[in-house]
Amino acid sequence: MPLDIPIYLAGNFCELRPNHFHGGIDIKTQGKSGLKVYASDDGYISRIKVSPYGYGKAIYIHHPKTGLTTVYAHLSKFELKFSKYIKQLQYQKKSFALDINPKTEEFPISKGQFIAFSGNSGGSHAPHLHYEIRESKNQEPINPLYYPFDIKDHIAPEINGLVNYKLDPENVYSIVGFNSYKLSKLGNDYSIKDTIKVPLITSFGIKCYDRSDGMRNLNGVYEVQMTVDDIPYFSFKMDQFAFSESRYINSFIDYKLYKENKGRFVKCFVEPMNKLSIYPEVKDSGILKLQKDSIYNVHYTVKDNHGNVSYLEFTMQATEQTHCIPDPSLYKALCGQKNHFRFQGASLQLPANALYSNQQLDLAKIDTVKNAVTASFSIHKNTSPLHGKAILNLPFLNNMDKTLKQKSCLMKLKENGEWTAINSQVKEKSISGKIKEFGIYAAFLDTVSPTIELVNIYQDKNMAERISIRVKATDKISGIKSYNGYIDGEWVLVEYDAKNDLFIYNFEKGPKGIKHLFEFHVNDKRDNKSVIRINYIR
């Protein structure tokens, strides 16, 4: 293992995350940063990445003897030799963010060699080490728990919920309703007391988690199998996947229940455009077509990575066919092909990979929000997943000054009532952008410069006791595009902690009692600029 402490997991392989499967394991670091990280095997550093987002500071080591690559992410600092190399490149490129592939001979690595310190960089929300094992030839992550790491786990997975779906007879992949059931538990065996009544065309969704010894974290399960009268109908196994598949998680789970805060239920059927490779066995896409009044025995087997198993068994009786009211929506979108809709001056283009199954879309102009430069448009339901990015084009309300028009920004209304920016392009009479979710959209002007807040410095402050200068910068509309820091007119490396809106310049020399000028420049995505200039002594 890459750490020399007892191993406890905060997250496991293929665990269900927002819009993606977890690509590795998250190892707890005793609630702090700064633990030494060690290489898992002989090899060489094949990639070093520094980013304010995602994996933050990360090292990739290729192991030629095994054909594997290990990844160590959310680091706080690199080992001194690597750190000097990275800083030199950052100054050359005048950029904190960096993504490089050193030559094979530059950084040979021995098994157990100290390479970095653990941290909380990038998109991490608590100190931990994200650790991956990948096949080098395709960079696909594989389950690290294949290897005999000393992780104590004697607890069987928990089955937390089961739903039965009413499916549309005209479109069997469309869920038109569901029933949920209370599960009884005895040891590792779960059951439903009475025979449940189900439609003739149906399927199920199951919610389950796993825990390891002494931990409260609810992690993902390794394998689920479903049989009906001992016939295998559905299963998944978390062995390996491709990052290009990761967004299919929104078809793997019941996205609507997830968005309604009812948890992540795994759908036990597979939609036509769901291309996940984690399904070893699926019969009839997991869609059950039953005989009226017949009784069936349903059995689930749920396993974790350490051989612990739980079971769910119940009986079901097929009743009447589900009768659905025709959907009044005017816009029928077919999966697997491009769709283009025009409505009330707006347009929506869906690529061929946008939908997992055929859908009737609700598209409408709804109102005009204060200070908006377009009307608001409802683009289908935010409880329906969108896989490939769609192009949304909205018309401006009136003829604006050309210069002012360039300050327009397409935005999405979030569940908390705030608007969030979408990368967008301004045209003569409209604004367009690539959207990743259905929901409510409108465009607003961004003529306001970013806000800069001083954290640990003020005019003429003596910074001799400080190790860094810290400022915060935010932009409420289009978002921050670029920034630069200067000391006495010379560019200096300022690290960006995006999740905390924090910018940090670490002093590189000891204090000498000299007066200096610190400048910080920040631009948003609509070219509004802010600058601070402040003198300090150090």
Side-chain angles (χ1 to χ4, degrees):
M1 285 299 286
L3 296 169
D4 57 2
I5 58 172
I7 301 302
Y8 296 97
L9 298 185
N12 62 359
F13 182 73
C14 260
E15 190 170 282
L16 309 182
R17 300 287 178 87
N19 296 312
H20 71 283
F21 294 96
H22 192 229
I25 57 176
D26 286 343
I27 305 171
K28 287 178 174 284
T29 54
Q30 302 174 336
K32 60 188 177 183
S33 298
L35 300 187
K36 285 188 173 183
V37 178
Y38 303 95
S40 289
D41 204 353
D42 297 337
Y44 60 88
I45 292 181
S46 56
R47 184 183 184 190
I48 302 176
K49 187 172 183 180
V50 179
S51 172
Y53 313 100
Y55 284 5
K57 296 178 181 178
I59 287 179
Y60 299 66
I61 299 178
H62 174 55
H63 310 285
K65 292 181 181 179
T66 60
L68 300 175
T69 296
T70 51
V71 183
Y72 314 76
H74 305 309
L75 305 170
S76 59
K77 292 188 296 184
F78 301 110
E79 185 273 336
L80 186 60
K81 180 171 62 174
F82 310 143
S83 182
K84 287 181 177 179
Y85 171 79
I86 289 296
K87 182 175 284 189
Q88 184 180 22
L89 288 178
Q90 288 171 320
Y91 270 89
Q92 286 178 6
K93 297 176 181 292
K94 294 188 176 181
S95 172
F96 166 65
L98 210 60
D99 190 357
I100 59 168
N101 300 100
K103 295 177 181 178
T104 302
E105 66 275 9
E106 281 191 273
F107 297 116
I109 296 293
S110 300
K111 182 175 182 177
Q113 181 176 333
F114 163 56
I115 57 172
F117 294 96
S118 69
N120 188 30
S121 61
S124 168
H125 291 284
H128 72 279
L129 178 68
H130 175 88
Y131 175 75
E132 292 179 15
I133 300 177
R134 301 181 181 182
E135 284 193 351
S136 298
K137 63 182 180 182
N138 53 25
Q139 288 299 298
E140 290 186 3
I142 63 176
N143 196 334
L145 299 184
Y146 282 146
Y147 296 88
F149 298 137
D150 187 15
I151 299 171
K152 303 292 188 297
D153 183 357
H154 300 89
I155 303 172
E158 301 172 17
I159 303 175
N160 302 83
L162 183 81
V163 294
N164 170 247
Y165 293 123
K166 298 178 183 179
L167 301 177
D168 186 341
E170 302 298 321
N171 178 10
V172 295
Y173 303 102
S174 176
I175 299 170
V176 295
F178 70 91
N179 290 314
S180 60
Y181 302 97
K182 182 178 180 180
L183 305 181
S184 299
K185 181 184 180 186
L186 181 62
N188 296 336
D189 294 314
Y190 295 77
S191 62
I192 300 174
K193 182 178 179 182
D194 300 314
T195 297
I196 66 174
K197 309 296 184 182
V198 302
L200 298 184
I201 300 177
T202 190
S203 191
F204 290 92
I206 188 170
K207 182 168 64 171
C208 41
Y209 300 102
D210 187 46
R211 292 185 296 118
S212 54
D213 295 5
M215 301 300 298
R216 293 184 178 181
N217 297 77
L218 296 177
N219 297 328
V221 301
Y222 168 63
E223 183 178 5
V224 169
Q225 300 170 340
M226 180 187 81
T227 63
V228 179
D229 286 348
D230 295 326
I231 299 172
Y233 262 87
F234 174 85
S235 66
F236 71 79
K237 187 182 289 187
M238 302 304 196
D239 288 328
Q240 182 173 349
F241 72 100
F243 285 111
S244 60
E245 299 178 58
S246 206
R247 196 170 173 86
Y248 288 116
I249 190 174
N250 293 331
S251 178
F252 180 73
I253 65 170
D254 187 323
Y255 190 79
K256 185 174 186 292
L257 292 183
Y258 165 64
K259 294 296 282 187
E260 292 174 347
N261 297 314
K262 293 182 173 67
R264 292 185 175 96
F265 284 81
V266 175
K267 290 190 303 192
C268 300
F269 65 91
V270 181
E271 294 177 281
M273 295 302 292
N274 178 348
K275 304 302 182 183
L276 272 173
S277 58
I278 61 174
Y279 301 116
E281 189 163 21
V282 179
K283 176 179 172 59
D284 298 332
S285 299
I287 303 295
L288 306 177
K289 296 182 179 180
L290 309 176
Q291 297 296 316
K292 190 175 186 301
D293 297 328
S294 295
I295 294 178
Y296 301 83
N297 186 69
V298 182
H299 184 87
Y300 278 93
T301 303
V302 182
K303 302 178 182 180
D304 69 12
N305 287 282
H306 296 91
N308 304 300
V309 187
S310 292
Y311 305 95
L312 167 61
E313 191 161 7
F314 58 93
T315 56
M316 64 179 177
Q317 183 179 24
T319 56
E320 296 295 330
Q321 176 86 1
T322 299
H323 296 287
C324 301
I325 300 173
D327 195 313
S329 305
L330 298 175
Y331 308 100
K332 183 175 182 179
L334 301 178
C335 68
Q337 67 181 51
K338 295 179 181 179
N339 295 268
H340 190 186
F341 303 106
R342 298 184 184 276
F343 56 102
Q344 296 171 285
S347 68
L348 178 70
Q349 297 179 56
L350 299 175
N353 68 335
L355 304 174
Y356 302 115
S357 59
N358 297 341
Q359 288 195 46
Q360 297 287 135
L361 303 185
D362 296 319
L363 307 172
K365 183 196 296 187
I366 50 176
D367 54 22
T368 301
V369 180
K370 184 179 178 181
N371 298 325
V373 294
T374 68
S376 296
F377 287 81
S378 177
I379 310 302
H380 199 41
K381 305 175 182 71
N382 68 349
T383 53
S384 287
L386 185 58
H387 187 78
K389 291 182 181 179
I391 300 175
L392 177 64
N393 192 75
L394 302 185
F396 288 121
L397 289 173
N398 49 45
N399 293 323
M400 292 185 293
D401 177 80
K402 184 176 181 180
T403 303
L404 192 61
K405 189 183 295 183
Q406 294 301 319
K407 297 287 187 179
S408 301
C409 185
L410 185 64
M411 305 191 79
K412 181 183 184 293
L413 183 64
K414 297 194 293 185
E415 282 84 353
N416 62 5
E418 296 179 356
W419 292 86
T420 184
I422 308 295
N423 287 335
S424 47
Q425 298 79 41
V426 175
K427 302 177 182 179
E428 184 179 352
K429 296 182 179 180
S430 63
I431 185 169
S432 69
K434 292 184 177 180
I435 64 173
K436 297 188 291 185
E437 297 175 302
F438 291 123
I440 295 174
Y441 289 85
F444 297 83
L445 288 179
D446 183 3
T447 58
V448 181
S449 297
T451 300
I452 301 176
E453 175 187 349
L454 303 178
V455 176
N456 71 340
I457 189 173
Y458 53 80
Q459 186 65 34
D460 295 326
K461 180 177 180 178
N462 191 326
M463 301 289 287
E465 302 299 320
R466 300 286 185 176
I467 62 172
S468 63
I469 295 174
R470 295 173 174 244
V471 299
K472 283 193 170 186
T474 55
D475 189 83
K476 291 185 177 180
I477 302 183
S478 61
I480 290 175
K481 177 183 178 182
S482 62
Y483 70 93
N484 284 287
Y486 302 88
I487 301 289
D488 299 332
E490 295 290 328
W491 188 91
V492 292
L493 177 63
V494 176
E495 299 197 4
Y496 182 18
D497 179 0
K499 62 180 174 284
N500 294 312
D501 303 316
L502 188 63
F503 297 81
I504 305 165
Y505 166 67
N506 294 302
F507 290 117
E508 299 174 8
K509 298 177 181 179
K512 295 182 179 180
I514 299 173
K515 191 172 186 178
H516 300 278
L517 174 65
F518 173 66
E519 296 179 57
F520 184 69
H521 302 232
V522 59
N523 293 8
D524 69 16
K525 293 176 182 176
R526 286 297 176 261
D527 292 325
N528 302 300
K529 304 176 182 180
S530 291
V531 179
I532 60 162
R533 295 179 177 87
I534 191 163
N535 293 301
Y536 67 93
I537 298 169
R538 194 174 191 278

